[in-house]
Amino acid sequence: MKTYYETLEISQNASINEIKKAYKKLALKYHPDVNKATDANEKFIEINEAYEFLSDTNKRKIYDDLISSNNQNQENVNQDFEKWKKQAKEKAEKYSKTEYNNFKENIIDKITEVYKTTKKGAKFGCGIYFGLSFIGASILGIYKYIEYIIQLFKGEKDFSIFKILWIIMILFIGLLGYLACKNTLKK
């Protein structure tokens, strides 16, 4: 019996992004409106069923446990697995009857959009975090600069070019932080 991993042509340790890419490629290739092979509809349903299991972390874990035990006896299979399998097959059959363009726009493009939105959110969060960290460092640098100037005028400290270079570097880091935040917020 072919595994869901073999159906999507991926390895068992594939990431969710690899699963989505494989699903998108194969679902578009085997949609019955596009592929006129006699087994295209059946293959399309198998692809969708495989995706329904492998794209859900909980279902995938149960499926992995099932195939790792080499359980060939379907009577011993978890009831949830059978219920999910039936639901996945029904959903796949519904998709196979959906016109290709509607399927592509409403199903496939949404999968891709979720990935892009998540990636964009992560970039935004990292940009703000690092930008604010750099700005915080520059505020500390400005404080230290003012403190150094005051101590210099009071005669408590001697002039040091290294101290001045260190303060300029901190201010430069602050500028980088400002630019990171500005660039992140612009997007």
Side-chain angles (χ1 to χ4, degrees), residues 32-54:
D33 287 353
V34 176
N35 192 319
K36 299 303 178 189
T38 55
D39 65 339
N41 189 54
E42 182 181 313
K43 195 155 176 98
F44 179 80
I45 290 171
E46 290 173 5
I47 291 163
N48 278 278
E49 185 179 322
Y51 176 75
E52 285 297 313
F53 270 88
L54 300 182

Side-chain angles (χ1 to χ4, degrees), residues 66-123:
L66 179 71
I67 62 172
S68 68
S69 67
N70 295 322
N71 186 353
Q72 300 299 322
N73 187 355
Q74 290 298 321
E75 282 89 39
N76 296 333
V77 175
N78 185 317
Q79 286 181 347
D80 286 338
F81 176 79
E82 286 300 323
K83 182 178 82 173
W84 293 333
K85 188 173 180 172
K86 182 181 178 198
Q87 290 171 343
K89 188 164 187 143
E90 288 170 358
K91 193 174 191 179
E93 287 172 350
K94 177 183 163 195
Y95 288 164
S96 74
K97 293 176 179 134
T98 304
E99 185 182 311
Y100 177 78
N101 287 333
N102 289 338
F103 172 74
K104 184 181 179 309
E105 288 173 20
N106 295 326
I107 309 302
I108 299 295
D109 290 347
K110 284 182 183 174
I111 290 169
T112 307
E113 190 59 36
V114 168
Y115 169 72
K116 287 179 183 174
T117 304
T118 304
K119 190 174 179 182
K120 186 176 181 181
K123 282 183 178 179

